[in-house]
């Protein structure tokens, strides 16, 4: 191995977590998202919201769908 200088860092790949962060930051309190549970795990979104300090609530619609509401954003009550 050798040390290399001035090699640019590539941009991060977009993944579900990055999409969730962008989505959460664009939401206003009271907004909701309908999840197709066969394609996306709402629990992953729930964890991401918690890490940002956002409070959300989730209700199962049926076996295939769940809806998540934004209750409050970081620093708000």
């Amino acid at each position: 191995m050798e040390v290399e200088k001035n090699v640019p860092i590539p941009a991060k790949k977009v993944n579900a977590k990055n999409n969730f962060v962008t989505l959460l930051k664009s939401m206003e309190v009271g907004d909701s998202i309908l999840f197709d549970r066969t394609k996306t795990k709402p629990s992953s979104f729930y964890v991401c919201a918690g890490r940002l300090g956002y409070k959300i609530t989730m209700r199962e619609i049926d076996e295939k769908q769940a809806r998540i509401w934004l209750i409050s954003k970081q620093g708000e009550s």
Side-chain angles (χ1 to χ4, degrees):
M1 284 192 269
E2 66 181 76
V3 175
E4 298 179 72
K5 298 185 185 289
N6 301 315
V7 176
I9 300 171
K12 287 185 178 182
K13 293 181 180 178
V14 175
N15 58 29
K17 180 184 170 193
N18 291 340
N19 289 337
F20 290 163
V21 169
T22 302
L23 192 56
L24 278 161
K25 288 185 175 184
S26 72
M27 292 177 72
E28 295 181 18
V29 173
D31 289 352
S32 68
I33 299 168
L34 183 64
F35 275 85
D36 179 347
R37 295 170 61 189
T38 62
K39 296 179 181 177
T40 307
K41 292 183 181 179
S43 58
S44 300
F45 188 82
Y46 203 90
V47 169
C48 186
R51 288 184 178 157
L52 289 174
Y54 292 9
K55 292 182 183 179
I56 61 174
T57 190
M58 180 176 69
R59 299 292 186 270
E60 292 182 359
I61 305 301
D62 56 32
E63 300 83 34
K64 295 181 181 179
Q65 295 182 323
R67 184 169 292 277
I68 295 179
W69 286 265
L70 179 62
I71 303 298
S72 69
K73 287 193 171 188
Q74 189 173 13
E76 298 177 6
S77 51

